[in-house]
Amino acid sequence: MRKLILAISMLAFAGSAAFADPIQDRQALMKERGKIAGQLSKVVKGETPYDAAAVLVALKALQANAEKFHANVETLFPAGSETGDTTAAPKIWEDMAGFKTVEEKYLADVKAAAAAAPADVDALKAGFNTIGGDCGTCHQTYRIKKG
């Protein structure tokens, strides 16, 4: 679990760099989000033992990632950044209000999961399943599927 905590701390630090290229920056945030979610998924699946402190650190890191994304949506998705090496669907720019609504629900659900500080794996599963559903909703509508 120490490796998990260290890895998440490093990811959080790496994710705090200033934005330079919107496509690369949003991809970096999504990769960070995926790594954190992947670690939590291993706990949910029973591949990694449940450790309440490590789970809370991971949930807080996921919250920090979501908050950074939320605070920078306009910077991460400016006009013109829908082309190039990106899987962001044009639907984002066509329906920015809808995209923000989905993103805000994700943020609220991540905050709720972190605030709940799950005491066991079953409690983690409930919050994690909600978060995963949010990810799926966004990916179905606002992400181009890779070939």
Side-chain angles (χ1 to χ4, degrees):
M1 277 300 141
R2 286 184 186 196
K3 288 182 182 178
L4 172 63
I5 293 170
L6 180 61
I8 291 169
S9 297
M10 290 172 56
L11 286 170
F13 176 75
S16 67
F19 294 118
D21 176 276
I23 294 173
Q24 290 178 357
D25 296 334
R26 64 185 182 236
Q27 288 173 346
L29 279 171
M30 289 295 110
K31 285 179 185 175
E32 175 187 40
R33 186 175 291 184
K35 286 180 182 181
I36 299 166
Q39 293 299 322
L40 288 168
S41 177
K42 287 181 181 182
V43 175
V44 167
K45 292 176 184 176
E47 296 170 6
T48 301
Y50 182 84
D51 177 325
V55 163
L56 186 57
V57 167
L59 287 170
K60 293 287 187 182
L62 204 57
Q63 179 178 334
N65 173 284
E67 288 171 342
K68 184 171 186 175
F69 189 92
H70 176 76
N72 294 288
V73 170
E74 300 293 334
T75 305
L76 292 167
F77 295 93
S81 69
E82 65 272 18
T83 61
D85 183 20
T86 182
T87 57
K91 181 79 172 168
I92 293 170
W93 292 268
E94 296 164 5
D95 181 22
M96 184 59 77
F99 178 67
K100 287 180 179 179
T101 298
V102 170
E103 180 270 326
E104 288 169 357
K105 181 180 181 321
Y106 170 80
L107 175 60
D109 290 340
V110 169
K111 283 182 173 182
D120 58 33
V121 80
D122 290 331
L124 173 61
K125 283 180 187 178
F128 191 72
N129 287 340
T130 300
I131 291 166
D134 294 340
C135 293
T137 297
C138 190
H139 283 198
Q140 286 177 349
T141 307
Y142 299 107
R143 182 177 183 208
I144 298 169
K145 291 177 179 50
K146 294 181 180 179

